[in-house]
Amino acid sequence: ASSSPFLNPSARSRPGDLAIVLLARDSYQPITLEQSTGVVDGYVEGKVLNTRFGSFPHSTFLDVPWGSQIRASHVDTGSRGRKRKLEASGEDTSIPGADDETKDSEAGNQLTRKAASAPSGFVHILKPSPELWTSALPHRTQVVYTPDYSYILSRIRARPGTRIIEAGAGSGSFTHASVRAVYNGLPQKPEDKKGKVFSFEFNEDRYHKMQDEIFEHKLADMVHLTHRDVYGEGFLVEGKSPEATAIFLDLPAPWKALKHISRRRPQKDGETPKPDNGDWISPLDPKKSVHICTFSPCIEQVMRTVTELRRLGWVDVDMVEVAHKRINVLREKVGLNLPNKKGCNLTPANVMESIDRLKVINEKTKDFNNAQKEKDGDAMAVDPSDSGKANGREEEDEKPWAQGRVVHRPEGELKTHTSYLVFAVLPREWSEEDEAAASAKWPCGK
Ligand code: SAM
């Protein structure tokens, strides 16, 4: 079984593990946990994560169950002898946490006080998953997000044992999701182990960064990354066929790469594919049909891709746009003795009263949403044991039924358009031998 934290994570956090630190809602920081290097004069020496919620020596993240809440520690950079020594050597002596930015201290040799004083905030330490990685990864390009890739992976039939071709690799968001789909960590059958992602990236800098990540995340057995321009050079890996049955193209001009994803030698534009004389290797599994998805932001790109897919014999061509909405479910105080401007309780007796009432409700909703936003933002900076009182709410308001009616509404800042997804299928080829073998196996009408 794989040792990748994405596929077989340990039960508790360990040194060397990739961890995703949840700072606030939709705010994540990936870190690689480091063991402290020892205790010197009552100080722990080691790496510190500095955030606006406080400072967190890596030692406080270690050997805890994933999902644990971690309180901030009082951190001292060794303002006495150590600081003087650093100053003398010309090194950075800034106090971690003094600035607002989240920084995983690279110095690796700061001194942190062993006994923590009153914590100023807390964070949560989360086990890596492709979804969290997509939210936390360093963006080198536009990435494919979870609502799109979960749908794509199901449509191209990615499952344990599937061999996927992906181009370009970009920031590796799709790569991490697809590797989990084709290799589920605990293979059930021997053929499950065949699952692999063959990824291609043209940009050299991105190729190297992605290669480093694949090694750091222990995915090298399951992801083969090639530095290549796939328009010109196609998809063979070290001269051999990846035998893929699933393809995902996130390229500026996917139609330029399609001629290589064929069962026959690539033809020039406008030519009909000719029978091959046997010296051309296809990157596809010859015994299975192949499912493809291309990801393009404009309809003009879609049209060129669809034309080329049809020319090359792909069938079941269709296009989908995923319009993802996140819906908040919350309690809202509506219709509970709302006073109108005259101080009387409102009853929807006439139209004017109803309009007044709607205005009040709108105001209340705005206040509630603002309070909710502040609460989400501040939650991490508040001592969790005080959470009920910290927001100044009365004991009675803690009861769910007293907090209002349950309502749901989509979030304001919706990402409407990501890209158009074009899907198609290339059927397997059928020969005289296949027909004879099939007839022998299933002798219909005999
Ligand atoms: N799907 C990726 C993800 O989820 O992180 C993002 C892909 S990004 C939008 C497109 C990538 O395709 C870029 O990194 C670009 O360098 C690469 N690319 C463009 N043309 C290419 C080509 N001819 N061959 C290989 N890669 C190419």
Side-chain angles (χ1 to χ4, degrees):
S2 162
S3 59
S4 170
F6 286 91
L7 301 170
N8 280 321
S10 52
R12 299 171 81 88
S13 53
R14 297 168 308 191
D17 279 350
L18 170 73
I20 311 288
V21 176
L22 171 67
L23 300 163
R25 190 177 175 198
D26 293 332
S27 172
Y28 304 92
Q29 167 82 18
I31 57 170
T32 302
L33 298 175
E34 283 193 12
Q35 185 77 278
S36 61
T37 46
V39 178
V40 184
D41 295 338
Y43 292 86
V44 177
E45 192 163 321
K47 222 170 178 183
V48 179
L49 175 71
N50 296 304
T51 77
R52 64 197 157 106
F53 307 112
S55 293
F56 301 86
H58 280 215
S59 55
T60 61
F61 289 131
L62 289 171
D63 198 28
V64 294
W66 294 108
S68 296
Q69 185 186 81
I70 310 293
R71 302 266 186 129
S73 298
H74 173 77
V75 170
D76 189 321
T77 45
S79 47
R80 291 180 296 266
R82 176 73 183 163
K83 186 168 182 187
R84 272 199 300 278
K85 255 197 235 165
L86 289 174
E87 273 167 355
S89 68
E91 286 183 52
D92 179 16
T93 57
S94 57
I95 309 285
D99 55 16
D100 251 356
E101 260 181 53
T102 302
K103 239 179 4 190
D104 198 22
S105 161
E106 290 300 333
N109 60 356
Q110 283 154 342
L111 297 175
T112 62
R113 196 185 286 283
K114 200 177 167 197
S117 62
S120 57
F122 63 93
V123 295
H124 287 86
I125 177 168
L126 306 179
K127 169 171 83 180
S129 68
E131 291 73 22
L132 288 175
W133 182 246
T134 296
S135 302
L137 59 78
H139 277 223
R140 302 182 281 268
T141 58
Q142 292 272 22
V143 305
V144 183
Y145 287 95
T146 302
D148 283 306
Y149 65 57
S150 49
Y151 182 71
I152 295 166
L153 286 165
S154 75
R155 286 284 311 261
I156 61 174
R157 302 196 180 180
R159 55 184 170 231
T162 302
R163 294 165 79 83
I164 295 189
I165 285 175
E166 174 212 24
S171 307
S173 169
F174 185 83
T175 319
H176 281 75
S178 57
V179 73
R180 182 188 53 188
V182 303
Y183 188 97
N184 64 1
L186 298 168
Q188 307 289 311
K189 296 179 250 143
E191 58 266 34
D192 290 354
K193 290 191 189 151
K194 279 175 56 190
K196 198 153 183 164
V197 179
F198 298 90
S199 190
F200 296 84
E201 175 55 55
F202 171 61
N203 179 289
E204 192 170 358
D205 189 43
R206 283 179 214 145
Y207 162 77
H208 287 298
K209 289 201 170 115
M210 174 94 180
Q211 190 72 292
D212 290 347
E213 266 168 19
I214 289 168
F215 278 100
E216 274 165 28
H217 299 171
K218 303 191 177 86
L219 292 171
D221 289 348
M222 290 141 277
V223 180
H224 189 291
L225 182 65
T226 306
H227 178 219
R228 162 128 13 119
D229 168 8
V230 296
Y231 300 154
E233 296 171 59
F235 298 93
L236 296 188
V237 174
E238 287 152 15
K240 293 198 189 110
S241 172
E243 304 205 330
T245 58
I247 319 281
F248 177 63
L249 301 183
D250 185 359
L251 294 166
W255 60 92
K256 289 190 185 167
L258 288 176
K259 58 182 181 292
H260 300 289
I261 307 169
S262 165
R263 300 200 187 277
R264 310 276 178 90
R265 178 185 294 283
Q267 311 296 316
K268 288 204 188 95
D269 280 1
E271 271 181 15
T272 324
K274 290 182 208 126
D276 200 27
N277 60 11
D279 64 349
W280 188 72
I281 302 168
S282 163
L284 306 177
D285 184 330
K287 298 282 179 204
K288 291 183 183 156
S289 51
V290 174
H291 291 73
I292 193 169
C293 173
T294 68
F295 191 82
S296 302
C298 350
I299 204 76
E300 290 74 16
Q301 291 167 313
V302 168
M303 284 158 70
R304 293 190 74 167
T305 304
V306 168
T307 304
E308 186 66 356
L309 283 169
R310 292 212 171 111
R311 189 180 77 79
L312 293 169
W314 292 77
V315 297
D316 284 353
V317 181
D318 71 349
M319 191 199 78
V320 173
E321 183 186 6
V322 177
H324 171 68
K325 285 186 185 183
R326 189 152 78 172
I327 295 174
N328 277 339
V329 178
L330 42 92
R331 284 191 182 270
E332 199 171 79
K333 286 194 173 168
V334 287
L336 297 175
N337 291 330
L338 299 172
N340 67 6
K341 280 182 195 145
K342 293 171 204 150
C344 309
N345 281 347
L346 285 171
T347 51
N350 59 45
V351 175
M352 289 317 290
E353 271 194 9
S354 299
I355 291 171
D356 269 357
R357 186 185 171 93
L358 277 174
K359 279 185 192 158
V360 176
I361 289 170
N362 280 344
E363 282 307 306
K364 288 259 168 189
T365 309
K366 254 193 232 157
D367 288 352
F368 180 86
N369 287 343
N370 288 342
Q372 194 73 17
K373 262 191 209 151
E374 270 172 31
K375 202 178 102 195
D376 284 344
D378 289 351
M380 303 292 168
V382 168
D383 186 338
S385 57
D386 291 343
S387 57
K389 291 168 204 151
N391 296 310
R393 285 199 240 117
E394 297 298 326
E395 184 66 15
E396 188 195 329
D397 276 356
E398 288 306 298
K399 293 174 183 136
W401 54 264
Q403 291 171 19
R405 234 189 264 168
V406 174
V407 294
H408 67 271
R409 66 166 60 87
E411 289 204 332
E413 74 292 357
L414 284 182
K415 276 195 200 112
T416 46
H417 177 66
T418 53
S419 266
Y420 297 116
L421 313 179
V422 175
F423 294 98
V425 180
L426 189 65
R428 64 159 290 187
E429 285 195 314
W430 199 247
S431 63
E432 289 290 337
E433 294 82 56
D434 291 322
E435 184 63 25
S439 305
K441 202 167 172 190
W442 297 290
C444 308
K446 288 191 186 162

